[in-house]
Amino acid sequence: MQKKNLKAVSKFKPLRKTPTGIDGLDEITDGGLPTGRPTLVCGSAGCGKTLMAIQFLIKGITDYNEPGIFMTFEETLEDLNENVASLGYDLKKLIESKKLRIDHVKVDRTEIAESGEYDLGALFIRLEYAIKAIGAKRVVLDTIETLFGGLENSGVLRSEIRRLFSWLKEKGVTTIITGERGESSLTRQGLEEYVSDCVILLDFRVIDQISTRRLRIVKYRGSTHGTNEYPFLIDETGISVLPITSLRLEHKVSDKIVSTGIPGLDALFKKGGFYHGSSVLISGTAGTAKTTLASYFTQETCKNGHKVLYFAFEESPNQLIRNMKSVGIDLAKYVNNGLLQIHSSRPTLHGLEMHLLSLHKLIRDFKPDCVIIDPISNLISIGSISEVRAMLVRLIDLLKINNITALFTSLTQQNVSNTNELTEESVSSLVDTWITVRDVEGVGERNRGLYILKSRGMAHSNQVREFLLTDHGIQFLDFETGPDGILLGSARSKYQSNLFVEKAKKEKELQKRDREIERKRKILEAHILAMRTEFESVTEELHKLDMEEQTAKQSQKAKTEKTSRLTNKRK
């Protein structure tokens, strides 16, 4: 029985959709707007309804070769052309190529008579002629309130609205109808949202003096769609929507290792750096070289020919470049060759979601290999900890999906009680690697120390390493322990000095002992030489005596032989 039901479901045809060409909107709507059906785009004044509608038409012409009609009841062609020229759209050129038709219908409320004979027949004739003239596939009506503004008979009003939507369906054109938001309903008439197949609500709100535009799909007949509120941005390229909710953790991972740019820091990781595409947090108190560490990573990434997108919330690009030169880091050359983009702004320039959307657009356009945000703790000024955490979850998901290495810095407060640290509450559990830099004060001095709190999927050192900031950059010092534990600063220097003195003493003592041994060796050698000389003298004397004895014996023998011969002769 279940197999039959599955087979029956597989025969159902999916709803045909027309892509809007608007960044992010097609993803939220799972493919675009319903083809051949009307879509209502409603919202308050200034939220971007007309811009979304005109962008829907222009993208249809330029990206999908679908001619469109823009029927306006408020703005003239000249007004529209001036309004969208800043976005790079040339409406007159599209009109001349017979891909776009703009029809301005002037509606005078004083001429609308309240009678049962009122209908939209003339509008239908005018619209049908325009559709056939260019073979239009897309239609925009802007705005519907102007068309029905003079009617007070609710029965006639409802009848004509239903008739309009039914007529558009019969013509098979994909339509956007814009409408002003009502006080207690999505639109002023309160009926358009019910007869529309798709309803998109645009909202322009200001909270704590920070403005944010948001979009929500209220309904979509016959299709799944995103149900959350999504921030959208209006800039020089038009409207961009960010689908900010990610429910599945299915992004790909890499085994490639990227260097931190500091050999001493690389040595603390068993594999010599971070995983490519991972997220890294460097937290610490003020003045502990967080930005310097981030800049080292920036320099190393650019040196290898990869792109870096650097967001600075505290320093201007020129100030950052100048400051890093003092430690031997030259970021200017990477900015000049296009490998590094530095964007500086105060966090209060936008809301949290607008910052996220701006970052999304820059990632899409620049295609970086690494993104740095310095520091994320400044975001707390435009949102609560929970809001910042939600924004950072979406940001980390966005970067992981695009296999981009992320490095965040965060300012923490030292010795402050009853304070929820941003890193501990918001992002520390989300990142793959967490490095802490801290001040170690004592004996009237301040030293910098660094240690790794965690690094997922990689063994790492558990030591606190002292480092120095010099004119040539960061210098990691060798790990040193004394009787009382890890030694830093002057205690370290004193301990090393004591070791040096002790070593010198030992070397001096060894040298003294070597000299004594050498003296004794020489005495012994002299004694041996004297004994050898004496031995040689005795040996020589004995040899002399032996020779004399041999000579005496030979002389005696000769005398004996001579005497014997003389005796024999006498005989």
Side-chain angles (χ1 to χ4, degrees), residues 10 38 201 320 419 542:
S10 64
L201 176 63
L320 178 64
T419 300
L542 291 174

Side-chain angles (χ1 to χ4, degrees), residues 106-364:
K106 185 178 181 181
V107 179
D108 191 347
R109 296 184 180 182
T110 60
E111 296 178 0
I112 298 178
E114 292 274 352
S115 67
E117 300 297 326
Y118 176 84
D119 62 52
L120 297 175
L123 177 67
F124 294 159
I125 294 173
R126 189 166 178 173
L127 188 56
E128 184 173 13
Y129 173 78
I131 292 173
K132 291 180 178 180
I134 63 171
K137 301 294 183 182
R138 304 186 182 204
V139 172
V140 170
L141 302 181
D142 184 46
T143 65
I144 196 170
E145 280 74 26
T146 305
L147 185 61
F148 297 107
L151 285 176
E152 296 181 359
N153 189 321
S154 60
V156 175
L157 175 64
R158 290 175 177 270
S159 175
E160 291 304 306
I161 288 177
R162 291 182 183 275
R163 186 183 173 199
L164 172 63
F165 279 72
S166 298
W167 185 89
L168 291 169
K169 275 189 179 182
E170 290 175 3
K171 295 304 173 183
V173 290
T174 306
T175 308
I176 284 183
I177 299 173
T178 65
E180 296 291 338
R181 187 164 186 179
E183 294 182 0
S184 59
S185 59
L186 295 178
T187 59
R188 290 183 183 179
Q189 311 303 337
L191 179 65
E192 300 93 320
E193 56 263 39
Y194 295 102
V195 296
S196 300
D197 289 272
C198 178
V199 178
I200 300 176
L201 176 63
L202 305 183
D203 184 32
F204 186 32
R205 66 188 70 171
V206 179
I207 301 176
D208 294 332
Q209 300 180 1
I210 299 174
S211 62
T212 305
R213 288 184 169 90
R214 300 190 182 185
L215 176 149
R216 180 166 65 93
I217 309 297
V218 178
K219 80 171 187 178
Y220 199 138
R221 287 174 181 162
S223 174
T224 58
H225 59 87
T227 57
N228 296 320
E229 284 191 324
Y230 303 93
F232 69 94
L233 178 66
I234 298 178
D235 60 10
E236 65 277 1
T237 61
I239 290 179
S240 298
V241 186
L242 177 60
I244 55 178
T245 302
S246 177
L247 299 179
R248 297 180 180 179
L249 297 175
E250 297 178 348
H251 53 269
K252 296 180 180 179
V253 297
S254 173
D255 292 328
K256 179 183 177 182
I257 299 298
V258 292
S259 171
T260 65
I262 307 172
L265 182 54
D266 286 342
L268 300 183
F269 295 92
K270 184 175 181 180
K271 296 189 177 181
F274 313 131
Y275 282 118
H276 176 69
S278 64
S279 53
V280 181
L281 171 67
I282 300 176
S283 64
T285 52
T288 51
K290 300 182 296 296
T291 300
T292 304
L293 291 169
S295 297
Y296 262 101
F297 184 56
T298 300
Q299 177 180 248
E300 182 67 19
T301 304
C302 293
K303 188 186 297 183
N304 293 326
H306 301 303
K307 293 182 178 180
V308 176
L309 188 61
Y310 196 119
F311 275 83
F313 288 139
E314 293 181 337
E315 298 176 283
S316 68
N318 292 333
Q319 184 181 3
L320 178 64
I321 291 171
R322 182 203 65 186
N323 293 346
M324 289 305 103
K325 282 184 178 180
S326 65
V327 290
I329 300 175
D330 185 8
L331 297 180
K333 64 179 181 180
Y334 301 116
V335 173
N336 295 334
N337 64 19
L339 290 175
L340 173 62
Q341 282 191 9
I342 303 175
H343 295 268
S344 297
S345 64
R346 291 298 182 189
T348 51
L349 179 64
H350 300 298
L352 289 172
E353 292 174 342
M354 292 304 291
H355 278 295
L356 182 60
L357 183 55
S358 299
L359 180 59
H360 184 272
K361 283 179 61 65
L362 288 168
I363 290 173
R364 181 199 63 196

Side-chain angles (χ1 to χ4, degrees), residues 332-452:
K333 64 179 181 180
Y334 301 116
V335 173
N336 295 334
N337 64 19
L339 290 175
L340 173 62
Q341 282 191 9
I342 303 175
H343 295 268
S344 297
S345 64
R346 291 298 182 189
T348 51
L349 179 64
H350 300 298
L352 289 172
E353 292 174 342
M354 292 304 291
H355 278 295
L356 182 60
L357 183 55
S358 299
L359 180 59
H360 184 272
K361 283 179 61 65
L362 288 168
I363 290 173
R364 181 199 63 196
D365 297 337
F366 186 53
K367 295 179 176 57
D369 299 281
C370 171
V371 169
I372 294 176
I373 300 182
D374 178 32
I376 58 172
S377 48
N378 279 21
L379 297 174
I380 200 68
S381 62
I382 53 174
S384 64
I385 290 179
S386 61
E387 290 172 336
V388 173
R389 177 182 172 83
M391 181 264 193
L392 292 173
V393 168
R394 296 162 184 165
L395 174 59
I396 291 173
D397 285 346
L398 170 65
L399 297 175
K400 284 184 177 292
I401 289 171
N402 290 278
N403 199 26
I404 296 172
T405 307
L407 189 147
F408 310 120
T409 69
S410 180
L411 175 66
T412 57
Q413 301 295 326
Q414 193 173 32
N415 300 326
V416 178
S417 59
N418 299 324
T419 300
N420 291 326
E421 296 292 354
L422 175 65
T423 54
E424 294 178 358
E425 297 294 330
S426 300
V427 70
S428 59
S429 63
L430 304 175
V431 297
D432 301 305
T433 299
W434 185 6
I435 300 172
T436 293
V437 284
R438 53 182 288 191
D439 290 327
V440 182
E441 297 183 3
V443 199
E445 65 178 14
R446 173 175 173 265
N447 303 293
R448 294 182 175 91
L450 177 148
Y451 61 95
I452 302 171

Side-chain angles (χ1 to χ4, degrees), residues 511-534:
Q511 290 174 1
K512 182 179 178 180
R513 290 174 61 186
D514 289 343
R515 289 194 300 271
E516 183 66 20
I517 291 173
E518 181 66 18
R519 185 181 65 81
K520 289 182 177 181
R521 184 185 65 81
K522 289 180 179 181
I523 293 173
L524 180 60
E525 287 180 350
H527 185 62
I528 292 172
L529 181 60
M531 291 178 68
R532 182 176 294 163
T533 302
E534 183 180 357

